[in-house]
Amino acid sequence: MERKYNPEVVEVKWQEFWRKEQIFKFHLDTSKEKYYVLEMFPYPSGRIHMGHVRNYCIGDVVARFKMMQGFNVLHPMGWDAFGMPAENAAIKHGSHPAVWTWNNIDEMRRQLKRMGYSYDWDREIATCHPDYYKWEQWLFIRMLEQGLVYRKKSIVNYCEPCRTVLSNEQVEAGACWRCSTPVVQREQDGWFFKITAYAAELLEWCDKLAGWPEKVLTMQRNWIGRSEGARILFDREGGGDPIEVFTTRPDTLYGATFMSLAPEHPLCLQLSRGTEQEAAVKDFINRVLTQEWQERVGEAAEKEGIFTGAYCINPVTGRRMPIYVANFVLYEYGTGAVMAVPAHDQRDFEFAKRYGLDIVIVIQPEGAQLAAESLTEAYVGEGCLVNSHEFDGMDNRSAMKAVSEKLSSMSKGGTTVNYRIRDWGISRQRYWGAPIPIVHCPECGAVPVRDEDLPVVLPTDIEFPDSGRSPLPDLDWWLNVPCPRCGKPAQRETDTMDTFVESSWYFDRYACPRYEKGIIDQESDRYWLPVDQYIGGIEHAILHLLYSRFFTKVLRDMKMKQSDEPFTNLLTQGMVIKDGAKMSKSKGNVVDPEDLIDKYGADTVRLFCLFAAPPERDLDWTSEGVEGAARFLGRVWNLVFQFKDIVRASSSAAVGDNEQARTIRRITHKTIKKVTEDIRDRFHFNTAVAAIMEMSNELARLAVEDVERSPETAAALSEAVRSLVILLSPFVPHAAEELWEALGEKPGMVRVPWPEFDPKFLVEDEVLIVVQVNGKKRAEIVVPLGAPEDHVKQAALAESNVQRFIEGKTIRKMVLVPKKLLNVVVG
């Protein structure tokens, strides 16, 4: 052990030791209790940032702590490697998405290893590797066979000059982010996963995930969005499939005077096609769908629409209802089609007033008589039905059921449960993603690729175009293939999968990353899954977590998994804040972790991230905080250097007793208890570190000479210093290894048993009492625990500073709060 702490030397030394010893490599061992801790894997952007560092530090403390508690710990790392940023970077830098991605993976792996995280790198996966997405394609085909995958038309953002589909995030002020050309809407076929088939179970299990934050569960419940109401079928004038509507207000059906469709609804273009309204409808949809969300549907947003040129028929009144496209209708809710009842819905009322549409009152409040021509706003309260044929006079609550039953008898609908969640559209007209394993045959239609021909490998030995348009449709040698069914000429599907598909099952593959006989090794799955502790940002509270839950249930129903849910416990860590804002390049407030490592060492960076705030709170980055963490590590280093010879020469076992030894052991076991419970029960790493700091400060007050004179004190100190190093090791593993070795112990601290506190050492012999005079602190006294009240009062009054403030005054009373304070009231 060197006299001065040199983190660069220490960290390189121990990282190499861990690598050679394969100290973080764990295998399936049914004789040991498993613990699977996982942080959400990163996108390989090229550099880790402080958000990464904080996330992975949290997971690493948990992993090391559980290893030291004797668990068989799985703690893997990999890369969410497909996605649009790679394409954008390739265009910007004149590179290829594959080259850019793999180079970034190499760089980020190097950076993560510098932080000393306890990953089993032999389990590393990258979702852009064919060995990974092969099984994703295999699962797609199995889901297709079971009716959980289908193809339908949807409206997408399209840039004509770039000849490419754009995500909503790529549309800026209605224009293409790359060339600034106005974006148009285009109808296009796409593939969908039928997540709605699991809506009820996904919602039900929100009540069973006791280890998840309530705010995340609330967000998931709202996204799934269960509503009870009625399904109603409106026939289209001129024929065709009826328009299906979901409503929570079937009691108002007799007042429905027009139909509103969401701009994204495929029927919008279909109904207007060939009419004089066709061009106007297209223009309206283009304009609305390129607006900012709040501009379109916010409370202050103007309600506007366009007539499609088509009509539908009210099933109970026979009224001919014009069909409009309306900006305020959400495709994500119900069916994306709304029966408009302007007398009893404010949005419909405003719309009807603007476009001169009929308003029919069907609910009258008690004691009032509403008239359509005098309404200034919609009446949304309760009352009795009018203008509703046989239901006139019925209260509207009873009418909800009665009207639904009538619809059922007419085969025009009936009572139903609706979910807000929509099926998951996975088609992306991008290059850098997993190919969808489908071949389109003129005779056979959409045919899945044969299992023996998987994976459908994404070609990488190609030139990536500057336009950003996917090159796949132009690769004749890749595109044109025989139909798997009839053998005649056919073409591959050129869409690739949404990158959320890759992240919806990667945690399963970590348990068997090199397994070649299937998507999951069931023996490994039974042992390792579900994940015991999942850690990641709140921004993934809905889609990633919901899709992962969906995949787990699908795989379970295919008898490939045994668990109902992927993650038993979930921790959503806060952001890293600097200068009052989240760290980001756009704000110019980014701190590069490697700069901090170069200056202070990885352990200092780790300690700061863990001490500055509880994991679920935002962390406010300060240079003073980093400096403070570095100074503390220096003090611990000096403390161990000062006492190491005594510790090496002394046994930790009690060899007798004296007051100083009792005090040291009390501090030691109190700290062990605090740190253990803070990590195990609450993940309050900041208070755990604070307790370790307090213990270190107490030990630093001891003089070497005093300890050397007392075998009892030396034994207590030996236990204390060893415990201090052990307690620190999950937080600052490199420094702890060096200190542990300096104490004469065998390196590899994750194999050292975590200490247990002894309750007998927690009993206090003495207690500190704060003495106040008229409510203001004037002294502190230490008295024996359980001392009589008179003894406490006499000791307080004997204090010189107390005497100074009561001199010449009358003591009115003395109020004692046991074990805490004594207030002397004078006048």
Side-chain angles (χ1 to χ4, degrees):
M1 177 185 184
E2 298 295 328
R3 180 67 184 86
K4 182 175 173 56
Y5 174 44
N6 185 334
E8 182 178 2
V9 173
V10 169
E11 289 169 6
V12 169
K13 170 185 174 180
W14 291 107
Q15 287 166 15
E16 180 62 16
F17 172 81
W18 296 332
R19 185 190 66 80
K20 285 184 176 179
E21 291 289 314
Q22 294 189 311
I23 204 163
F24 305 126
K25 189 174 181 61
F26 289 83
H27 301 280
L28 190 156
D29 183 352
T30 55
S31 68
K32 297 180 69 175
E33 185 176 357
K34 68 92 179 180
Y35 192 88
Y36 185 176
V37 57
L38 180 64
E39 306 94 60
M40 294 179 185
F41 64 169
Y43 181 80
S45 59
R47 303 288 296 176
I48 63 170
H49 53 67
M50 289 305 296
H52 289 134
V53 170
R54 189 185 190 199
N55 187 10
Y56 306 148
C57 283
I58 292 168
D60 198 56
V61 169
V62 176
R64 290 175 179 273
F65 173 72
K66 290 295 183 179
M67 290 176 196
M68 298 173 78
Q69 284 195 315
F71 287 86
N72 194 24
V73 176
L74 178 59
H75 188 209
M77 176 50 70
W79 313 98
D80 191 7
F82 274 138
M84 193 172 58
E87 295 189 19
N88 296 342
I91 295 168
K92 181 178 179 180
H93 301 295
S95 179
H96 188 288
V99 174
W100 186 83
T101 298
W102 287 110
N103 287 344
N104 287 352
I105 286 174
D106 290 341
E107 174 62 11
M108 291 181 70
R109 185 192 303 111
R110 180 193 65 79
Q111 291 176 303
L112 291 177
K113 287 184 176 182
R114 281 197 74 186
M115 288 299 302
Y117 297 130
S118 56
Y119 296 131
D120 180 354
W121 285 104
D122 287 347
R123 293 179 181 267
E124 179 183 8
I125 59 174
T127 60
C128 64
H129 197 288
D131 287 349
Y132 182 85
Y133 64 75
K134 167 186 177 178
W135 296 110
E136 189 170 299
Q137 294 171 341
W138 179 90
L139 181 61
F140 177 98
I141 295 169
R142 301 289 86 76
M143 292 172 69
L144 179 67
E145 293 169 349
Q146 297 193 12
L148 292 173
V149 177
Y150 64 93
R151 195 169 185 240
K152 72 172 184 178
K153 291 188 181 297
S154 61
I155 294 178
V156 296
N157 305 310
Y158 192 78
C159 176
E160 296 282 3
C162 295
R163 298 169 63 201
T164 187
V165 171
L166 303 176
S167 68
N168 289 338
E169 293 76 18
Q170 291 177 307
V171 179
E172 299 175 352
C176 172
W177 69 281
R178 185 181 294 117
C179 70
S180 299
T181 301
V183 170
V184 298
Q185 304 301 307
R186 192 167 84 169
E187 196 174 38
Q188 188 157 311
D189 287 318
W191 292 96
F192 289 78
F193 284 161
K194 199 171 183 180
I195 191 173
T196 52
Y198 286 82
E201 186 184 353
L202 289 167
L203 183 63
E204 175 191 350
W205 271 85
C206 284
D207 295 331
K208 301 177 183 180
L209 295 172
W212 284 40
E214 186 56 38
K215 62 181 177 182
V216 173
L217 294 173
T218 298
M219 293 167 76
Q220 295 231 336
R221 290 187 187 103
N222 292 341
W223 188 264
I224 298 168
R226 184 182 189 275
S227 301
E228 294 183 358
R231 169 179 170 266
I232 307 176
L233 299 177
F234 290 77
D235 288 332
R236 288 157 52 184
E237 188 178 72
D241 292 336
I243 300 174
E244 182 176 335
V245 163
F246 170 79
T247 179
T248 58
R249 296 295 306 274
D251 54 319
T252 66
L253 174 58
Y254 286 84
T257 60
F258 62 97
M259 175 80 71
S260 299
L261 300 179
E264 299 91 339
H265 201 299
L267 273 178
C268 296
L269 295 176
Q270 183 181 331
L271 292 174
S272 63
R273 192 169 293 131
T275 72
E276 60 183 19
Q277 290 294 103
E278 182 174 4
V281 169
K282 281 185 177 180
D283 290 344
F284 178 80
I285 292 173
N286 282 337
R287 179 169 60 82
V288 171
L289 293 187
T290 53
Q291 287 177 334
E292 294 293 331
W293 186 249
Q294 280 302 112
E295 182 185 351
R296 174 184 164 187
V297 300
E299 289 186 14
E302 189 176 8
K303 310 297 183 290
E304 58 177 335
I306 188 78
F307 178 45
T308 63
Y311 293 84
C312 63
I313 307 301
N314 187 313
V316 293
T317 67
R319 173 185 282 271
R320 185 173 184 248
M321 296 168 47
I323 303 172
Y324 278 76
V325 183
N327 66 338
F328 59 87
V329 179
L330 303 178
Y331 191 53
E332 293 79 14
Y333 183 75
T335 64
V338 174
M339 68 170 202
V341 185
H344 304 291
D345 182 277
Q346 186 59 30
R347 295 179 308 170
D348 295 343
F349 178 82
E350 294 174 18
F351 193 90
K353 282 292 189 181
R354 176 168 182 168
Y355 294 102
L357 299 167
D358 290 347
I359 298 175
V360 176
I361 292 171
V362 292
I363 297 177
Q364 289 284 6
E366 186 177 355
Q369 191 68 30
L370 302 177
E373 59 273 11
S374 61
L375 276 182
T376 58
E377 62 181 4
Y379 175 67
V380 296
E382 299 191 359
C384 290
L385 266 62
V386 296
N387 300 320
S388 300
H389 298 187
E390 69 265 37
F391 303 108
D392 284 354
M394 183 180 292
D395 72 272
N396 73 292
R397 287 287 171 185
S398 300
M400 290 181 180
K401 180 180 179 183
V403 173
S404 296
E405 290 174 346
K406 178 181 175 70
L407 289 166
S408 181
S409 69
M410 298 169 61
S411 298
K412 292 295 183 183
T415 301
T416 190
V417 172
N418 181 72
Y419 292 93
R420 177 181 179 271
I421 188 173
R422 301 264 61 83
D423 283 338
W424 173 12
I426 66 154
S427 290
R428 296 295 180 268
Q429 294 72 39
R430 313 295 309 181
Y431 162 70
W432 190 237
I436 293 175
I438 291 290
V439 172
H440 296 284
C441 174
E443 296 191 15
C444 304
V447 182
V449 173
R450 292 187 295 260
D451 286 0
E452 57 266 31
D453 294 330
L454 296 177
V456 177
V457 177
L458 183 72
T460 56
D461 54 344
I462 60 171
E463 191 170 317
F464 188 71
D466 293 341
S467 68
R469 181 178 182 270
S470 172
L472 297 180
D474 302 322
L475 299 177
D476 290 343
W477 63 268
W478 183 86
L479 180 69
N480 297 308
V481 293
C483 170
R485 187 172 297 159
C486 70
K488 293 181 180 179
Q491 291 190 331
R492 292 192 190 278
E493 171 67 67
T494 57
D495 284 356
T496 54
M497 293 195 215
D498 178 10
T499 55
F500 274 117
V501 178
E502 283 86 62
S503 61
S504 296
W505 67 283
Y506 78 106
F507 43 87
D508 291 324
R509 196 62 182 174
Y510 278 140
C512 54
R514 310 294 173 251
Y515 188 63
E516 297 181 355
K517 296 180 180 179
I519 187 171
I520 291 172
D521 173 24
Q522 295 191 31
E523 182 183 11
S524 296
D525 181 79
R526 280 192 297 271
Y527 179 70
W528 289 115
L529 275 297
V531 175
D532 295 283
Q533 184 63 59
Y534 199 38
I535 303 166
I538 190 69
E539 66 270 19
H540 300 295
I542 298 178
L543 294 184
H544 163 58
L545 293 174
L546 195 63
Y547 293 157
S548 298
R549 296 179 61 211
F550 166 57
F551 260 52
T552 292
K553 295 176 189 301
V554 168
L555 288 165
R556 175 206 62 194
D557 289 349
M558 291 181 178
K559 309 300 182 186
M560 297 176 200
K561 286 185 62 62
Q562 45 81 36
S563 51
D564 295 297
E565 291 284 340
F567 315 117
T568 303
N569 297 289
L570 173 69
L571 172 67
T572 54
Q573 90 279 358
M575 298 182 295
V576 180
I577 305 294
K578 185 175 182 285
D579 303 329
K582 178 184 176 181
M583 279 191 182
S584 69
K585 291 180 180 178
S586 62
K587 294 185 174 67
N589 62 350
V590 171
V591 175
D592 190 331
E594 283 221 291
D595 291 343
L596 296 177
I597 296 172
D598 290 340
K599 185 175 181 180
Y600 299 103
D603 280 346
T604 291
V605 178
R606 292 170 61 112
L607 188 64
F608 168 73
C609 287
L610 296 163
F611 177 60
E616 69 278 7
R617 302 274 184 86
D618 290 344
L619 183 155
D620 194 2
W621 190 94
T622 65
S623 55
E624 295 80 7
V626 180
E627 291 277 1
R631 286 195 299 271
F632 170 68
L633 277 180
R635 290 196 298 273
V636 172
W637 187 274
N638 292 337
L639 174 72
V640 174
F641 188 87
Q642 180 183 8
F643 289 115
K644 63 181 174 63
D645 292 336
I646 295 175
V647 173
R648 292 176 71 121
S650 304
S651 167
S652 298
V655 294
D657 204 3
N658 62 35
E659 184 175 344
Q660 190 172 51
R662 286 197 301 274
T663 300
I664 293 171
R665 292 196 189 275
R666 186 180 308 118
I667 292 168
T668 300
H669 287 264
K670 179 181 176 183
T671 306
I672 292 172
K673 181 177 187 294
K674 172 69 173 170
V675 174
T676 302
E677 293 174 353
D678 278 350
I679 298 177
R680 183 192 64 202
D681 301 337
R682 296 176 285 272
F683 288 175
H684 282 186
F685 307 126
N686 58 321
T687 54
V689 172
I692 295 170
M693 289 178 171
E694 185 177 340
M695 176 182 177
S696 173
N697 292 338
E698 292 293 332
L699 296 179
R701 294 191 178 98
L702 298 171
V704 173
E705 313 84 65
D706 293 342
V707 176
E708 288 177 331
R709 283 195 294 267
S710 169
E712 296 86 357
T713 302
L717 178 71
S718 178
E719 180 191 22
V721 173
R722 286 188 170 92
S723 297
L724 178 72
V725 175
I726 293 173
L727 296 178
L728 269 173
S729 64
F731 303 95
V732 288
H734 309 88
E737 289 276 18
E738 187 73 10
L739 298 175
W740 191 243
E741 185 182 57
L743 296 176
E745 302 291 351
K746 184 179 179 180
M749 292 199 69
V750 294
R751 297 169 180 163
V752 175
W754 187 261
E756 296 184 3
F757 68 89
D758 189 333
K760 72 182 180 185
F761 290 121
L762 302 180
V763 178
E764 300 278 355
D765 294 332
E766 296 177 325
V767 64
L768 178 73
I769 302 291
V770 174
V771 182
Q772 299 176 336
V773 177
N774 287 347
K776 293 186 178 181
K777 180 180 176 181
R778 300 304 181 190
E780 291 180 349
I781 58 174
V782 176
V783 298
L785 187 67
E789 186 171 333
D790 286 346
H791 177 86
V792 176
K793 292 177 178 179
Q794 289 172 11
L797 295 175
E799 285 289 313
S800 59
N801 200 44
V802 173
Q803 292 176 357
R804 186 161 68 90
F805 283 95
I806 66 174
E807 186 177 359
K809 299 175 182 177
T810 302
I811 297 176
R812 302 293 186 188
K813 61 180 177 179
M814 299 175 71
V815 181
L816 176 66
V817 179
K819 300 182 183 179
K820 291 186 178 180
L821 66 85
L822 174 69
N823 186 26
V824 181
V825 181
V826 298

